[in-house]
Amino acid sequence: MRGRIIITGATGSMGAAATLALAGQGHSIVMACRNIVKAGTIRDSILVRVPDAEIDIKLLDLSSMDSVCEFVNDLGTEPIDALFNNAGTISRSYSITSDGLENTFAVNYFGPYLLTRLLVPRMREDARIVNMVSLTCRFVTVDENSLRPEPKDFSQLGTYARSKQALLRFSMEFSRRYPGICVNLADPGIVNSNMISMGRWFDPLADRLFRPFCKSPDKGVKPALNALSSSAKDRYFVGSHSKSIPARFLDPEMDLILWQETESILSSFIPRICN
Ligand SMILES: NC(=O)c1ccc[n+]([C@@H]2O[C@H](COP(=O)([O-])OP(=O)(O)OC[C@H]3O[C@@H](n4cnc5c(N)ncnc54)[C@H](OP(=O)(O)O)[C@@H]3O)[C@@H](O)[C@H]2O)c1
């Protein structure tokens, strides 16, 4: 497959690695980023290595549902072949976005949810979606009350893990509703990126002890690249292979409850473009 691929968080460690790899394969890339200047620098460095790369940069702040809508409106009419929901954050402390959502959930779940829903009408029939999840998903449970955590429910890792499991459950419900689109999950493992800094006093120590054993971004993004080049669907890509979605996550009833609850929370944004 060659085509137009949207990569969120293309300024990040794995996002930039994916942009280089996919542009090098001849795809036309849309870098969907909140920092346009940083994106420009990355694009310039890729153009040195791949002079005929087709790379467009568009503003997208996933913590703002208005920004998601504006991004989609600004995208033009050219069909989309693939969406890589790669951007993510791990907020150190509890904070609320301008939409009244907890920040980690806004960036890792509500933003990608809305973006994906809004892009459906522009996707080719056999389009591919890859959602970046995390091995932390397996240590938490998620229900409809998880989507808007109160300060007392917040923890840096716990909220991050729940937002990623919510994204995983969204992927499965989406796949049931849009069977023509191939949705897959990618789990990069533990990767040496900004993401794994906890913003705590012990970071320098952890960096020395821990980072040397983490994967490089090039290696960490491989499962996602494998998923993007595969015509499989509903698979969990990890390491160099893919497997069925782990049984612990199979709960279609909860997937549906979360979908409906999310629609209700985002009801003022979804009718703008979605059917
Ligand atoms: N690193 C790991 O060990 C690991 C493990 C499991 C899963 N993951 C997942 O892999 C994905 C990529 O992470 P990474 O390790 O490459 O981290 P990273 O280098 O920190 O990249 C994160 C990317 O997300 C972008 N981003 C953050 N907040 C955003 C917002 N509000 N709107 C739009 N973009 C936003 C960042 O933009 P800026 O450049 O502007 O900051 C950056 O481009 C994430 O979804 C992460 O959760 C990572």
XYZ file of all heavy atoms in Angstrom, residues 182-271:
705
model
N -9.447 -1.429 8.501
C -8.593 -2.321 9.313
C -8.050 -1.552 10.506
O -7.221 -0.648 10.328
C -7.403 -2.819 8.507
S -7.874 -3.819 7.121
N -8.491 -1.920 11.676
C -7.991 -1.265 12.895
C -7.096 -2.244 13.638
O -7.489 -3.391 13.876
C -9.149 -0.862 13.837
C -8.620 -0.055 15.014
C -10.197 -0.074 13.091
N -5.908 -1.788 13.982
C -4.986 -2.625 14.748
C -4.358 -1.822 15.870
O -4.387 -0.585 15.865
C -3.893 -3.170 13.821
C -4.428 -4.240 12.879
O -4.865 -5.301 13.326
N -4.424 -3.953 11.580
N -3.799 -2.559 16.830
C -3.151 -1.930 17.981
C -1.654 -2.176 17.895
O -1.235 -3.238 17.428
C -3.693 -2.534 19.269
C -5.206 -2.359 19.418
C -5.784 -3.376 20.386
C -5.524 -0.947 19.869
N -0.873 -1.208 18.350
C 0.578 -1.407 18.399
C 1.067 -1.099 19.809
O 0.696 -0.080 20.399
C 1.270 -0.499 17.389
N 1.873 -2.018 20.326
C 2.459 -1.869 21.664
C 3.981 -1.820 21.480
O 4.597 -2.815 21.107
C 2.033 -3.083 22.510
C 2.691 -3.106 23.876
O 3.628 -2.326 24.126
O 2.273 -3.942 24.710
N 4.585 -0.644 21.714
C 6.018 -0.507 21.400
C 6.957 -1.122 22.434
O 8.170 -1.162 22.201
C 6.208 1.010 21.357
C 5.150 1.568 22.254
C 3.990 0.614 22.192
N 6.434 -1.536 23.586
C 7.317 -1.952 24.680
C 7.763 -0.718 25.440
O 7.038 0.294 25.491
N 8.956 -0.763 26.026
C 9.458 0.419 26.754
C 10.557 1.057 25.914
O 11.561 0.424 25.581
C 9.971 0.027 28.151
C 8.810 -0.603 28.935
C 10.490 1.258 28.895
C 9.173 -1.104 30.296
N 10.323 2.317 25.560
C 11.154 2.973 24.553
C 11.821 4.209 25.139
O 11.208 4.965 25.917
C 10.268 3.380 23.342
C 11.077 4.121 22.296
C 9.611 2.149 22.744
N 13.053 4.404 24.757
C 13.826 5.547 25.237
C 13.319 6.840 24.580
O 13.726 7.188 23.490
C 15.303 5.316 24.881
C 16.194 6.333 25.534
O 15.716 7.279 26.165
N 17.489 6.163 25.380
N 12.383 7.508 25.263
C 11.808 8.753 24.719
C 11.500 9.684 25.885
O 11.642 9.314 27.047
C 10.520 8.448 23.953
O 9.468 8.194 24.850
N 11.028 10.893 25.564
C 10.640 11.841 26.618
C 9.554 11.260 27.500
O 9.438 11.573 28.678
C 10.055 13.118 25.994
C 11.133 13.888 25.298
O 12.307 13.750 25.630
N 10.732 14.686 24.314
N 8.730 10.437 26.877
C 7.561 9.882 27.555
C 7.896 9.166 28.867
O 7.094 9.181 29.790
C 6.894 8.919 26.571
C 5.829 8.065 27.081
S 4.159 8.652 26.885
C 4.145 9.982 25.795
N 9.063 8.514 28.921
C 9.333 7.715 30.114
C 9.965 8.525 31.243
O 10.269 7.976 32.295
C 10.168 6.436 29.809
C 11.523 6.790 29.205
C 9.409 5.486 28.906
C 12.477 5.606 29.166
N 10.120 9.843 31.046
C 10.537 10.667 32.184
C 9.312 10.931 33.043
O 8.272 11.324 32.518
C 11.075 12.017 31.710
O 12.231 11.810 30.969
N 9.439 10.730 34.322
C 8.283 10.916 35.197
C 8.201 12.350 35.721
O 7.256 12.713 36.405
C 8.351 9.952 36.392
C 8.383 8.483 36.015
S 6.835 7.927 35.271
C 5.828 7.697 36.731
N 9.239 13.159 35.414
C 9.249 14.522 35.945
C 9.474 14.527 37.447
O 8.932 15.377 38.161
N 10.224 13.582 37.953
C 10.450 13.450 39.402
C 11.941 13.538 39.724
O 12.781 13.395 38.828
C 9.948 12.091 39.918
C 8.543 11.770 39.531
C 7.580 12.403 40.477
N 6.245 12.327 39.897
C 5.150 12.095 40.585
N 5.199 11.973 41.863
N 4.000 12.055 39.988
N 12.232 13.655 41.026
C 13.609 13.819 41.466
C 14.477 12.631 41.082
O 15.674 12.743 40.871
C 13.655 14.034 42.992
C 13.084 12.867 43.771
C 11.809 12.724 44.204
C 13.761 11.667 44.182
N 11.635 11.522 44.836
C 12.824 10.857 44.857
C 15.075 11.196 44.050
C 13.136 9.615 45.387
C 15.387 9.950 44.593
C 14.422 9.189 45.244
N 13.858 11.438 40.960
C 14.675 10.243 40.715
C 14.956 10.019 39.222
O 15.620 9.059 38.844
C 14.012 8.993 41.310
C 12.563 8.803 40.931
C 12.210 8.350 39.672
C 11.553 9.088 41.842
C 10.888 8.179 39.315
C 10.220 8.921 41.491
C 9.884 8.463 40.237
N 14.467 10.936 38.347
C 14.680 10.749 36.902
C 16.155 10.561 36.516
O 16.471 9.644 35.755
C 14.112 11.933 36.114
C 12.622 11.757 35.822
O 12.089 10.665 36.097
O 12.010 12.709 35.332
N 17.086 11.429 37.024
C 18.483 11.259 36.591
C 19.038 9.882 36.949
O 19.762 9.269 36.146
C 19.231 12.359 37.362
C 18.182 13.371 37.699
C 16.914 12.605 37.877
N 18.644 9.378 38.113
C 19.112 8.055 38.536
C 18.504 6.976 37.629
O 19.205 6.089 37.120
C 18.689 7.829 40.001
C 19.157 6.533 40.635
C 20.673 6.500 40.719
C 18.546 6.386 42.039
N 17.182 7.096 37.425
C 16.489 6.124 36.569
C 17.065 6.163 35.161
O 17.227 5.120 34.510
C 14.995 6.420 36.538
N 17.413 7.369 34.685
C 17.969 7.493 33.330
C 19.251 6.677 33.204
O 19.478 6.015 32.189
C 18.286 8.964 33.016
C 17.022 9.744 32.675
O 15.952 9.111 32.572
O 17.109 10.970 32.547
N 20.060 6.724 34.236
C 21.352 6.020 34.159
C 21.170 4.513 34.285
O 21.850 3.732 33.628
C 22.297 6.520 35.253
C 22.791 7.920 34.919
C 23.747 8.452 35.912
N 24.979 7.698 36.000
C 25.947 7.974 36.863
N 25.820 8.985 37.688
N 27.034 7.262 36.902
N 20.223 4.107 35.169
C 20.056 2.670 35.420
C 19.177 1.989 34.380
O 19.374 0.828 34.038
C 19.423 2.463 36.804
C 20.256 2.922 38.000
C 19.460 2.766 39.284
C 21.549 2.102 38.086
N 18.198 2.743 33.888
C 17.080 2.144 33.183
C 17.124 2.379 31.676
O 16.932 1.452 30.884
C 15.828 2.770 33.814
C 14.534 2.237 33.344
C 14.243 0.879 33.429
C 13.563 3.092 32.832
C 13.026 0.398 33.001
C 12.357 2.623 32.403
C 12.082 1.273 32.486
N 17.434 3.632 31.278
C 17.340 3.968 29.846
C 18.198 3.081 28.934
O 17.772 2.748 27.826
C 17.691 5.443 29.608
C 16.503 6.351 29.868
C 16.739 7.746 29.300
N 15.739 8.654 29.807
C 14.640 9.018 29.137
N 14.418 8.562 27.926
N 13.783 9.839 29.688
N 19.432 2.693 29.390
C 20.236 1.864 28.479
C 19.539 0.568 28.078
O 19.872 -0.028 27.050
C 21.503 1.574 29.299
C 21.560 2.670 30.303
C 20.143 3.045 30.610
N 18.547 0.124 28.874
C 17.876 -1.141 28.556
C 16.584 -0.938 27.762
O 15.902 -1.896 27.411
C 17.572 -1.905 29.857
C 18.820 -2.231 30.614
C 19.202 -1.476 31.716
C 19.647 -3.267 30.185
C 20.371 -1.757 32.388
C 20.827 -3.557 30.851
C 21.202 -2.801 31.968
N 16.224 0.330 27.511
C 15.002 0.596 26.743
C 15.288 0.442 25.250
O 16.418 0.575 24.806
C 14.522 2.027 26.974
S 14.012 2.326 28.653
N 14.210 0.238 24.497
C 14.368 0.140 23.039
C 14.619 1.516 22.451
O 14.184 2.532 23.008
C 13.070 -0.371 22.422
C 12.776 -1.804 22.694
C 11.482 -2.160 21.969
C 11.024 -3.531 22.376
N 9.682 -3.812 21.915
N 15.239 1.558 21.287
C 15.370 2.818 20.560
C 14.004 3.142 19.937
O 13.189 2.235 19.705
C 16.412 2.679 19.451
O 15.908 1.805 18.459
N 13.742 4.428 19.644
C 12.478 4.768 18.967
C 12.300 4.012 17.646
O 11.196 3.578 17.331
C 12.603 6.282 18.745
C 13.510 6.746 19.840
C 14.493 5.633 20.047
N 13.401 3.823 16.895
C 13.304 3.087 15.621
C 12.768 1.677 15.836
O 11.963 1.163 15.074
C 14.698 2.945 14.978
C 15.159 4.248 14.376
O 14.333 5.168 14.258
O 16.358 4.352 14.035
N 13.240 1.065 16.917
C 12.814 -0.307 17.198
C 11.400 -0.312 17.792
O 10.570 -1.154 17.455
C 13.814 -0.939 18.177
C 13.782 -2.425 18.132
C 14.998 -3.038 18.793
C 14.860 -4.555 18.717
N 15.717 -5.233 19.650
N 11.157 0.659 18.677
C 9.848 0.712 19.346
C 8.693 0.931 18.369
O 7.583 0.455 18.595
N 8.970 1.632 17.285
C 7.879 1.955 16.357
C 7.631 0.817 15.349
O 6.656 0.842 14.613
C 8.166 3.301 15.643
C 9.107 3.136 14.458
C 6.872 3.990 15.230
N 8.496 -0.194 15.364
C 8.366 -1.305 14.391
C 6.990 -1.975 14.428
O 6.396 -2.200 13.368
C 9.455 -2.358 14.645
C 10.757 -2.067 13.916
C 10.732 -2.644 12.485
C 11.688 -1.969 11.523
N 13.078 -1.954 11.936
N 6.445 -2.320 15.619
C 5.115 -2.955 15.600
C 4.073 -2.088 14.895
O 3.240 -2.604 14.138
C 4.784 -3.116 17.100
C 6.105 -3.134 17.786
C 7.005 -2.250 16.981
N 4.137 -0.773 15.102
C 3.173 0.115 14.443
C 3.393 0.117 12.926
O 2.430 0.086 12.146
C 3.301 1.534 14.991
N 4.651 0.121 12.502
C 4.934 0.096 11.055
C 4.473 -1.232 10.452
O 3.907 -1.268 9.347
C 6.432 0.313 10.796
C 6.977 1.695 11.195
C 8.488 1.755 10.970
C 6.295 2.817 10.421
N 4.682 -2.314 11.203
C 4.197 -3.620 10.721
C 2.675 -3.600 10.584
O 2.113 -4.119 9.625
C 4.611 -4.743 11.681
C 6.110 -4.994 11.644
O 6.787 -4.602 10.683
N 6.644 -5.632 12.678
N 2.012 -2.982 11.573
C 0.540 -2.922 11.537
C 0.074 -2.087 10.343
O -0.892 -2.448 9.662
C 0.009 -2.329 12.845
N 0.774 -0.981 10.078
C 0.359 -0.108 8.969
C 0.540 -0.794 7.613
O -0.181 -0.502 6.663
C 1.166 1.198 9.000
C 0.695 2.213 10.045
C 1.761 3.268 10.298
C -0.608 2.883 9.611
N 1.494 -1.721 7.543
C 1.725 -2.371 6.245
C 0.959 -3.694 6.133
O 1.091 -4.404 5.140
C 3.224 -2.606 6.029
O 3.664 -3.588 6.935
N 0.153 -4.010 7.137
C -0.547 -5.294 7.135
C -2.017 -5.108 6.768
O -2.631 -4.098 7.115
C -0.445 -5.909 8.541
O -1.406 -6.909 8.699
N -2.587 -6.106 6.100
C -4.021 -6.024 5.802
C -4.829 -6.779 6.856
O -6.036 -6.974 6.713
C -4.304 -6.579 4.407
O -3.816 -7.899 4.347
N -4.153 -7.211 7.930
C -4.867 -7.884 9.028
C -5.736 -6.865 9.753
O -5.607 -5.656 9.535
C -3.850 -8.471 9.998
N -6.643 -7.325 10.590
C -7.411 -6.398 11.424
C -7.628 -6.994 12.805
O -7.531 -8.203 12.994
C -8.722 -6.004 10.758
C -9.638 -7.154 10.408
C -10.873 -6.669 9.681
C -11.664 -5.747 10.587
N -13.031 -5.539 10.162
N -7.903 -6.119 13.759
C -8.143 -6.530 15.150
C -6.973 -7.351 15.707
O -7.172 -8.344 16.404
C -9.441 -7.350 15.272
C -10.637 -6.590 14.744
O -10.616 -5.353 14.766
O -11.599 -7.249 14.308
N -5.772 -6.939 15.387
C -4.591 -7.643 15.895
C -3.822 -6.729 16.833
O -3.898 -5.500 16.748
C -3.661 -8.061 14.743
C -4.309 -8.915 13.691
C -4.518 -10.329 14.119
N -3.287 -11.073 14.364
C -3.260 -12.308 14.893
N -4.380 -12.912 15.255
N -2.109 -12.925 15.085
N -3.075 -7.348 17.725
C -2.242 -6.635 18.693
C -0.799 -6.860 18.250
O -0.267 -7.974 18.360
C -2.508 -7.216 20.079
C -1.946 -6.441 21.238
C -2.746 -5.561 21.963
C -0.622 -6.610 21.649
C -2.247 -4.858 23.046
C -0.110 -5.906 22.727
C -0.932 -5.035 23.428
O -0.435 -4.333 24.512
N -0.195 -5.807 17.694
C 1.184 -5.913 17.190
C 2.158 -5.577 18.314
O 2.074 -4.510 18.932
C 1.394 -4.968 16.008
C 0.768 -5.467 14.732
C -0.609 -5.399 14.536
C 1.546 -6.021 13.721
C -1.201 -5.873 13.368
C 0.974 -6.492 12.540
C -0.396 -6.415 12.363
N 3.061 -6.501 18.564
C 4.061 -6.308 19.621
C 5.336 -7.042 19.196
O 5.245 -8.116 18.599
C 3.499 -6.799 20.987
C 3.080 -8.253 20.947
C 4.459 -6.521 22.135
N 6.497 -6.460 19.487
C 7.748 -7.078 19.019
C 7.705 -7.178 17.507
O 7.304 -6.235 16.825
N 8.071 -8.372 16.984
C 8.096 -8.503 15.522
C 6.880 -9.262 14.995
O 6.842 -9.642 13.836
C 9.386 -9.227 15.112
O 9.411 -10.465 15.793
N 5.899 -9.507 15.869
C 4.755 -10.304 15.412
C 3.434 -9.654 15.820
O 3.428 -8.576 16.438
C 4.848 -11.723 15.990
C 4.661 -11.768 17.481
N 5.588 -11.290 18.369
C 3.616 -12.198 18.232
C 5.142 -11.443 19.604
N 3.945 -11.981 19.555
N 2.336 -10.306 15.483
C 1.040 -9.840 15.971
C 0.282 -11.020 16.555
O 0.546 -12.171 16.213
C 0.237 -9.216 14.833
O -0.317 -10.213 14.006
N -0.644 -10.713 17.462
C -1.433 -11.772 18.083
C -2.875 -11.284 18.211
O -3.160 -10.092 17.973
C -0.856 -12.134 19.453
C -0.774 -10.961 20.415
C -0.071 -11.350 21.725
C -0.084 -10.216 22.731
N 0.638 -10.492 23.964
N -3.766 -12.189 18.602
C -5.150 -11.777 18.846
C -5.163 -10.791 20.003
O -4.254 -10.790 20.846
C -5.996 -12.980 19.234
O -5.876 -13.979 18.276
N -6.227 -9.999 20.064
C -6.357 -9.082 21.201
C -6.402 -9.938 22.477
O -7.199 -10.880 22.555
C -7.682 -8.272 21.103
C -7.809 -7.575 19.736
C -7.817 -7.299 22.268
C -6.931 -6.405 19.479
N -5.541 -9.645 23.457
C -5.512 -10.482 24.664
C -6.892 -10.629 25.316
O -7.675 -9.680 25.370
C -4.540 -9.725 25.581
C -3.642 -8.984 24.627
C -4.504 -8.605 23.467
N -7.185 -11.853 25.776
C -8.525 -12.191 26.286
C -8.975 -11.250 27.397
O -10.168 -10.960 27.522
C -8.519 -13.634 26.769
N -8.028 -10.754 28.191
C -8.410 -9.898 29.326
C -9.128 -8.615 28.858
O -9.826 -7.987 29.633
C -7.189 -9.527 30.171
C -6.180 -8.664 29.450
C -5.137 -8.075 30.403
N -4.233 -9.092 30.910
C -3.149 -9.527 30.284
N -2.825 -9.029 29.109
N -2.374 -10.433 30.815
N -8.948 -8.264 27.582
C -9.570 -7.032 27.076
C -10.887 -7.295 26.336
O -11.494 -6.357 25.836
C -8.610 -6.307 26.114
C -7.313 -5.894 26.754
C -6.107 -6.275 26.199
C -7.294 -5.116 27.903
C -4.897 -5.900 26.775
C -6.093 -4.739 28.483
C -4.896 -5.132 27.924
N -11.283 -8.576 26.243
C -12.469 -8.874 25.427
C -13.737 -8.693 26.257
O -14.067 -9.537 27.092
C -12.373 -10.290 24.852
C -11.190 -10.529 23.915
C -11.197 -11.949 23.377
C -11.176 -9.526 22.763
N -14.419 -7.597 26.043
C -15.661 -7.304 26.758
C -16.481 -6.322 25.893
O -16.525 -5.116 26.156
C -15.328 -6.681 28.125
C -16.567 -6.449 28.968
O -17.690 -6.623 28.447
O -16.409 -6.063 30.145
N -17.148 -6.866 24.837
C -17.863 -5.993 23.897
C -18.910 -5.121 24.586
O -19.149 -3.991 24.145
C -18.533 -6.985 22.938
C -17.757 -8.234 23.049
C -17.202 -8.274 24.435
N -19.505 -5.647 25.663
C -20.519 -4.847 26.362
C -19.905 -3.570 26.930
O -20.470 -2.480 26.810
C -21.075 -5.680 27.515
C -22.582 -5.743 27.555
C -23.020 -6.755 28.582
O -23.096 -7.952 28.243
O -23.231 -6.343 29.728
N -18.737 -3.705 27.557
C -18.064 -2.526 28.118
C -17.569 -1.603 26.998
O -17.635 -0.373 27.130
C -16.889 -2.953 29.018
C -16.179 -1.797 29.685
S -17.299 -0.615 30.529
C -17.897 -1.614 31.886
N -17.121 -2.177 25.884
C -16.684 -1.342 24.750
C -17.836 -0.441 24.303
O -17.638 0.753 24.035
C -16.248 -2.202 23.551
C -15.092 -3.132 23.890
O -14.434 -2.921 24.929
O -14.859 -4.083 23.107
N -19.031 -1.042 24.246
C -20.202 -0.278 23.790
C -20.579 0.806 24.810
O -20.873 1.954 24.443
C -21.384 -1.240 23.572
C -22.705 -0.598 23.172
C -22.567 0.166 21.851
C -23.797 -1.672 23.026
N -20.524 0.447 26.083
C -20.847 1.430 27.133
C -19.890 2.623 27.037
O -20.301 3.782 27.111
C -20.764 0.766 28.536
C -21.918 -0.216 28.713
C -20.749 1.808 29.655
C -21.821 -1.090 29.945
N -18.608 2.331 26.851
C -17.614 3.417 26.763
C -17.843 4.274 25.520
O -17.731 5.494 25.576
C -16.192 2.837 26.737
C -15.726 2.209 28.046
C -14.367 1.548 27.851
C -15.638 3.241 29.153
N -18.182 3.626 24.421
C -18.454 4.367 23.170
C -19.608 5.344 23.403
O -19.530 6.526 23.058
C -18.796 3.353 22.067
C -19.162 3.948 20.742
C -20.368 4.541 20.420
C -18.357 4.024 19.557
N -20.354 4.960 19.115
C -19.131 4.660 18.559
C -17.073 3.604 19.234
C -18.662 4.899 17.272
C -16.599 3.838 17.951
C -17.376 4.480 16.979
N -20.690 4.801 24.001
C -21.884 5.646 24.192
C -21.611 6.782 25.180
O -22.042 7.916 24.980
C -23.061 4.783 24.670
C -23.570 3.899 23.542
C -24.541 2.828 23.999
O -24.575 2.473 25.183
N -25.314 2.293 23.074
N -20.880 6.459 26.231
C -20.554 7.486 27.229
C -19.663 8.573 26.590
O -19.844 9.767 26.833
C -19.832 6.824 28.417
C -19.429 7.759 29.542
C -20.602 8.408 30.265
O -21.749 7.936 30.112
O -20.372 9.420 30.981
N -18.735 8.150 25.761
C -17.838 9.112 25.100
C -18.628 9.994 24.140
O -18.420 11.207 24.071
C -16.704 8.366 24.357
O -16.078 7.479 25.275
C -15.679 9.330 23.786
N -19.549 9.378 23.403
C -20.400 10.162 22.492
C -21.173 11.203 23.264
O -21.324 12.334 22.819
C -21.415 9.242 21.812
C -20.843 8.438 20.715
C -21.742 8.437 19.492
O -22.975 8.462 19.655
O -21.201 8.440 18.386
N -21.649 10.802 24.422
C -22.444 11.750 25.201
C -21.545 12.890 25.716
O -21.932 14.061 25.661
C -23.160 10.962 26.309
O -23.222 11.664 27.471
N -20.327 12.566 26.150
C -19.410 13.617 26.633
C -19.025 14.550 25.477
O -18.933 15.765 25.648
C -18.151 12.975 27.274
C -18.529 12.223 28.545
C -17.087 14.031 27.571
C -17.423 11.350 29.131
N -18.819 13.984 24.295
C -18.366 14.793 23.152
C -19.527 15.246 22.278
O -19.324 15.685 21.152
C -17.377 13.988 22.295
C -16.039 13.625 22.941
C -15.159 12.865 21.951
C -15.294 14.870 23.430
N -20.743 15.168 22.812
C -21.919 15.393 21.955
C -21.915 16.757 21.295
O -22.447 16.916 20.205
C -23.208 15.185 22.738
O -23.168 16.017 23.872
N -21.288 17.737 21.900
C -21.305 19.056 21.259
C -20.312 19.128 20.100
O -20.374 20.036 19.290
C -20.991 20.141 22.284
O -19.738 19.904 22.845
N -19.375 18.189 20.021
C -18.385 18.224 18.940
C -18.742 17.257 17.816
O -18.552 17.565 16.645
C -16.993 17.845 19.475
C -16.481 18.821 20.489
C -16.608 18.560 21.844
C -15.903 20.004 20.084
C -16.151 19.468 22.779
C -15.431 20.916 21.016
C -15.561 20.649 22.371
N -19.234 16.068 18.171
C -19.435 15.023 17.170
C -20.432 15.415 16.071
O -20.132 15.200 14.894
C -19.834 13.696 17.859
C -18.587 13.130 18.541
C -20.379 12.691 16.845
C -18.814 11.882 19.327
N -21.582 16.032 16.367
C -22.546 16.294 15.286
C -22.019 17.246 14.226
O -22.553 17.308 13.136
C -23.736 16.931 16.010
C -23.538 16.663 17.446
C -22.075 16.501 17.645
